[in-house]
Amino acid sequence: MTISTHVTTFDGLPIVRFSREGELPADPSAVAWRVEAPDYDSAPEDLAAELDALLSRVPADAVRALVVGRWGSAYETAAPVELLVSLAPRLTGLRALFLGEMTFEECEISWIRHREITGLLEAYPALEVLRVRGADGLTLKPVRHEALRELAFESGGLPATLVRAVGDCDLPALTHLELWLGVEDYGGDATVADLAPVLAGERLPALRHLALCNAEIADEVAAAVATAPVVARLEVLDLSMGITTDAGVDALLAGQPLTHLLRLDLHHHYLSDEAAQRVVTRLPGVRVDVSDRQEPDEDDDEVYRYTAVGE
């Protein structure tokens, strides 16, 4: 699967694409503003001009949520982190940022170029939501951030260095963490050992929603989750979009109780009908999603299973 459509809401707000000539909504703070470069050949300064135009028409403190689409050729130019950092003194109301919200027609997810994003968290201490699509070149240094409540990295392959950095961050307000682990062919080299600090949860005291999804190592993740201390306080556990098999579900059910969960998401899986029914039966009262069953490909005695999102 590739990402073929743009999201229509962000942080609970409808997304409105900024236009220099368009009519402004009655309440500019009640929408998430989508800003992007005019076309794929745009230079970095073209996106800067669009953001400047937004801030010249909309009161800066009314820009609560910002969705950054293409910044020119995302295959060739890294994400405009320095630009966004430089705008922090003006974007005083910013609480939610989505960086790299592009479809596959604009840039395949595993080819969206990034750079170190630590500066964003340092420049916006009141930021509550940070979502990043793509992981090529993406790095992060461990930080403490008091306000962040939602952090998500969408990728076809999340580097182990980034996974470890997330685990080493102190995020006392974080309730929602989403890591699309991906596949090794696209840079997803994280192991369950790299997830250990996240699964311990010591630096994530408020965590209630944990997504370790789109994983080539889905069965290993399920086995690690089965004994992870953080699970006891979760409301939502998302292991979807990966290549979970019966072995992963068996390991998950053999571990700690999961009946306290509100939801367990396993959609896009490789479970047998019996295993899918077993997990539903064993967790009464939990909304278990075992939809989108996949069939492995077989070729010359080789069996191939695929995550939902890759290139």
Side-chain angles (χ1 to χ4, degrees):
M1 184 185 82
T2 54
I3 296 177
S4 58
T5 58
H6 290 296
V7 295
T8 57
T9 63
F10 178 51
D11 195 29
L13 302 174
I15 294 175
V16 172
R17 187 183 185 282
F18 173 70
S19 170
R20 299 190 188 204
E21 294 80 28
E23 184 176 347
L24 297 179
D27 182 0
S29 68
V31 304
W33 289 101
R34 178 181 179 86
V35 179
E36 59 189 359
D39 54 52
Y40 306 123
D41 297 323
S42 295
E45 52 265 28
D46 294 329
L47 178 64
E50 289 298 306
L51 284 164
D52 187 66
L54 169 68
L55 295 177
S56 68
R57 295 197 65 199
V58 178
D61 59 358
V63 181
R64 170 186 161 186
L66 187 63
V67 177
V68 179
R70 62 176 180 247
W71 46 78
S73 175
Y75 290 94
E76 300 173 355
T77 306
V81 173
E82 290 87 349
L83 171 61
L84 293 167
V85 168
S86 72
L87 291 173
R90 299 174 67 186
L91 287 168
T92 55
L94 190 66
R95 297 296 180 267
L97 173 64
F98 192 153
L99 184 61
E101 204 285 302
M102 294 176 245
T103 67
F104 78 95
E105 293 178 330
E106 295 164 311
C107 190
E108 293 279 10
I109 190 170
S110 293
W111 299 100
I112 300 174
R113 294 189 63 188
H114 284 278
R115 62 186 73 199
E116 186 179 320
I117 60 166
T118 315
L120 289 173
L121 294 173
E122 294 172 336
Y124 293 94
L127 194 69
E128 298 176 2
V129 179
L130 176 61
R131 178 170 288 266
V132 179
R133 180 171 294 168
D136 183 19
L138 186 65
T139 60
L140 171 70
K141 292 179 182 177
V143 295
R144 180 177 177 87
H145 197 286
E146 301 286 349
L148 201 67
R149 57 177 170 80
E150 181 175 331
L151 178 63
F153 293 103
E154 303 179 3
S155 80
L158 206 58
T161 52
L162 185 80
V163 173
R164 290 195 297 270
V166 170
D168 288 338
C169 287
D170 285 304
L171 304 172
L174 198 75
T175 61
H176 180 123
L177 176 61
E178 197 172 321
L179 303 176
W180 294 24
L181 299 173
V183 302
E184 189 171 5
D185 285 349
Y186 292 108
D189 59 351
T191 67
V192 291
D194 298 311
L195 289 167
V198 170
L199 295 176
E202 294 176 359
R203 296 185 178 93
L204 304 169
L207 196 66
R208 298 296 180 266
H209 181 131
L210 176 61
L212 302 173
C213 54
N214 198 50
E216 188 175 44
I217 59 168
D219 284 350
E220 293 95 324
V221 170
V225 164
T227 59
V230 75
V231 172
R233 74 172 96 105
L234 296 181
E235 297 175 353
V236 177
L237 176 60
D238 182 352
L239 305 178
S240 67
M241 299 168 57
I243 61 172
T244 305
T245 69
D246 290 13
V249 158
D250 289 344
L252 190 64
L253 293 177
Q256 62 190 300
L258 299 174
T259 50
H260 66 285
L261 294 174
L262 299 179
R263 181 162 60 90
L264 172 63
D265 193 346
L266 296 170
H267 85 268
H268 186 282
H269 58 81
Y270 290 83
L271 300 178
S272 65
D273 291 340
E274 293 78 12
Q277 184 57 51
R278 185 160 62 252
V279 69
V280 172
T281 301
R282 288 278 300 276
L283 299 176
V286 180
R287 298 196 308 274
V288 180
D289 187 348
V290 287
S291 62
D292 197 16
R293 181 175 183 270
Q294 304 292 305
E295 293 288 347
D297 291 342
E298 298 186 24
D299 182 26
D300 296 330
D301 297 325
E302 293 286 337
V303 178
Y304 300 95
R305 297 181 178 89
Y306 303 96
T307 60
V309 176
E311 185 176 12

